[in-house]
Amino acid sequence: MNITLIAAIGLNNELGINNDLIWHIPEDLKFFKENTLNKYIVMGMNTYLSLPRKLLNRKYIVLTHKECQLDDDIVVCRNITELLSYIKNIDTEIMVIGGASVYSQMINYADKMLLTEIDDIKKADVYFPNFNKDEWNSSVLCEHEYNGLSYKHVKYVRKK
């Protein structure tokens, strides 16, 4: 499988608060869009509900144990086993976009991570899972600054 986790995290792995992003960095939102366009995006129900609108040119997979009625073009998987079974024959990159629970469940299956590492600490109620950096090769794709806030896009590829 070709599974990539994509997230923006702070120095303490903070992801969000009150079902919203902590940082709203235009260049990072562009990075997210460029890396998820025309791909499957996997998310939990809270992440799905937090989106301001339907993201165009992406195929949605929502991982939730809750009973729900979503649009017909959205795949709903009730557990990780069902999700893995569904995506095993998909030959395009699968982008896991959140939230914290989905990242925690999927990190052991991921081949790659695209993390925006933000040089800041903020109050959060959800966090990206801790991971052993020794198990990954990392490369800094680019470094930026926005309103005095330094951040970098880092690509992690799982070591074989």
Side-chain angles (χ1 to χ4, degrees), residues 21 23-34 58 153:
L21 299 174
W23 300 275
H24 295 273
I25 303 170
E27 189 66 32
D28 185 50
L29 296 173
K30 181 180 171 191
F31 178 78
F32 175 87
K33 180 179 181 178
E34 289 170 354
R58 294 157 183 96
H153 298 298

Side-chain angles (χ1 to χ4, degrees), residues 43-74:
M43 69 202 84
M45 182 58 77
N46 286 342
T47 298
Y48 173 76
L49 294 173
S50 75
L51 296 174
R53 66 188 174 289
K54 187 131 187 213
L55 303 177
L56 299 177
N57 300 315
R58 294 157 183 96
K59 297 175 183 171
Y60 280 53
I61 302 173
V62 175
L63 178 62
T64 180
H65 63 275
K66 298 174 185 170
E67 288 299 320
C68 56
Q69 186 64 39
L70 302 178
D71 294 343
D72 290 340
D73 61 340
I74 297 175

